[in-house]
DNA sequence: ATTACATTGTAACATTTGTTACAGTTACCT
DNA sequence: AGGTAACTGTAACAAATGTTACAATGTAAT
């Protein structure tokens, strides 16, 4: 099995843990090990401890009531699993979590997390920052999805990438990836792109884009 | 001007503040007062203090680059404004905040918030719980919006309301409100509803719904 | 250079949703 | 009871997007 790299975990970095072993010894926690396809957490399960994925890779999936899988996210160690739900009023896991590898998970009771925060300001700020970043991610995702038209989403995305310049810029995704990000069909995305080119709003050469008409572009947002 | 009701603020309740005045005296913070239509926070502004809305009502709006208003939320006192962004890596306000009333805002520097958390476990848990609940709200909103069809959204919503029974139940929203929740057009929602009735999936009498075919219903989710 | 594969462009058609308009119904007020 | 406003149902048409299929182009490996 691989080795732990605790320091690159978003809630554990910069904690000045000189001795990982003794740090973990002091912590009241449990180590759990799973093999590929083991279920680590069941959707709906009570969440009264922090699950930290320290080794391996897992799949987090939302399952609808007829068993269809709605949403999938792959998470790689080291990262806490659903750290926000530990403190929410409805503290149940929103997803199934399945091992994709050999996996180590450290389970830390909520009371220990509270103790850690109270005694270790860095840990507390890490925890807060991580949750805050997650909120920010969700907010911007929501903002993107609440734009209804494909051209609108493109305008939002491309204006972000262009950073208010009219210089050409290169995007790091191909059309299929963009289509997935926007959750639209790939040919529909291609159609919207070529219409925007026809209308003289943008220029495209492979992955290099250039905004030709900033005003038209911004009007697509509404 | 109205009176403060700090105890019903999600991050301040149950703190055993016997004397609000002396509690606030001990806290290094600033009181700010605004009139209707004053700008309290500008989108993009650095967020290095917690803004707690203690009296009044504000509007939080996202403004696109061409000045169109994308998103609006009304917030009433007492509530913290964007508490998650205080600790995020990109700590800038994502919205304009405008007074709708006579408003009091207490501005508490980040360092004071950290100090409060370290000395007051209840405050810390309140803060964490509030952010966690917000995350949960965003997550479920995202889940709803990522269902593409109107019937799918309806199925998701109605199955939630029905709580796995086949008994009739009453929803607390009219069609216009539902349409806004799903961000679709009202007549489109009505059409989907009547199609679902025609297909024998549900029965409707005014705001009373009844699920007739649970399987068909669940299949709409995919 | 040739092949194999991934990516992009495009077209025809189906489906879904939006838009606008109006009629029927219910709720409420006096 | 009558009048008004809110809510709901529905229809015709427009617009946007999805689906499927295939051609054109680019990319990488050998």
């Amino acid at each position: 099995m691989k080795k732990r790299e605790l320091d690159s975990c978003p809630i554990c970095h910069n904690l000045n843990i000189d001795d990982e072993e003794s740090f973990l010894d002091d912590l009241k926690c449990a180590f759990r090990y799973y093999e590929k396809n083991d279920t680590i957490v069941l959707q709906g399960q009570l969440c009264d401890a922090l699950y930290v994925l320290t080794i391996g890779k897992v799949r987090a999936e939302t399952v609808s009531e007829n068993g269809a899988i709605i949403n999938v996210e792959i998470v790689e160690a080291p990262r806490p699993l659903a750290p926000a739900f530990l403190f929410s009023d409805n503290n149940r896991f929103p997803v199934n979590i399945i091992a994709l590898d050999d996996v180590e998970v450290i389970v830390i009771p909520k009371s220990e997390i509270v103790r850690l925060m109270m005694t270790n300001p860095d840990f507390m700020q890490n925890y807060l920052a991580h949750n805050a970043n997650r909120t920010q991610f969700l907010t911007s995702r929501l903002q993107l999805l609440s734009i209804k038209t494909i051209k609108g989403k493109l305008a939002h995305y491309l204006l972000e990438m262009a950073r208010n310049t009219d210089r050409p810029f290169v995007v790091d995704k191909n059309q299929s990836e963009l289509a997935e990000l926007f959750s639209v069909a790939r040919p529909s995305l291609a159609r919207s792109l070529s219409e925007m080119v026809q209308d003289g709003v943008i220029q495209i050469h492979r992955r290099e884009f250039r905004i030709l008409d900033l005003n038209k572009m911004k009007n697509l947002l509404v």
Side-chain angles (χ1 to χ4, degrees), chain A residues 6-190:
Chain A
L6 264 197
D7 194 59
S8 55
C9 173
I11 64 172
C12 295
H13 63 81
N14 293 335
L15 290 188
N16 291 325
I17 300 174
D18 11 285
D19 184 354
E20 183 179 305
E21 289 306 322
S22 75
F23 172 78
L24 287 174
D25 278 349
D26 286 349
L27 194 66
K28 200 163 69 178
C29 64
F31 293 77
R32 297 204 190 145
Y33 298 91
Y34 302 89
E35 295 177 1
K36 183 167 180 172
N37 293 327
D38 284 352
T39 297
I40 303 172
V41 166
L42 260 176
Q43 189 171 344
Q45 180 178 326
L46 207 67
C47 170
D48 51 6
L50 183 66
Y51 288 60
V52 182
L53 175 66
T54 46
I55 298 175
K57 207 189 315 187
V58 303
R59 174 163 45 94
E61 57 184 26
T62 310
V63 177
S64 84
E65 311 209 27
N66 70 350
I69 288 166
I70 302 262
N71 232 339
V72 186
E73 196 185 352
I74 307 295
V75 176
E76 296 188 41
R79 251 195 52 186
L81 300 173
F85 288 81
L86 183 55
F87 289 97
S88 65
D89 293 333
N90 171 26
N91 55 338
R92 294 181 175 279
F93 279 100
V95 290
N96 289 330
I97 300 180
I98 319 269
L100 292 178
D101 269 341
D102 285 341
V103 160
E104 179 189 71
V105 173
I106 304 186
V107 181
I108 312 170
K110 184 170 171 176
S111 56
E112 275 293 280
I113 295 291
V114 172
R115 185 181 68 74
L116 259 184
M117 287 200 202
M118 298 300 292
T119 55
N120 190 330
D122 290 329
F123 179 78
M124 186 184 80
Q125 297 226 26
N126 281 348
Y127 201 93
L128 286 165
H130 183 254
N131 281 345
N133 289 336
R134 181 91 187 145
T135 300
Q136 219 163 36
F137 170 77
L138 289 175
T139 302
S140 71
R141 190 110 189 78
L142 207 49
Q143 206 171 323
L144 185 66
L145 277 192
S146 67
I147 298 175
K148 304 249 186 51
T149 64
I150 298 182
K151 289 181 190 173
K153 294 177 193 201
L154 275 168
H156 181 91
Y157 181 82
L158 294 176
L159 283 170
E160 190 101 329
M161 299 300 273
R163 297 164 184 282
N164 282 324
T165 73
D166 55 354
R167 299 277 106 223
F169 57 93
V170 174
V171 307
D172 59 343
K173 295 189 196 305
N174 63 27
Q175 285 191 7
S176 304
E177 292 167 333
L178 272 183
E180 185 177 341
L181 178 65
F182 298 160
S183 62
V184 299
R186 201 271 312 165
S188 305
L189 184 82

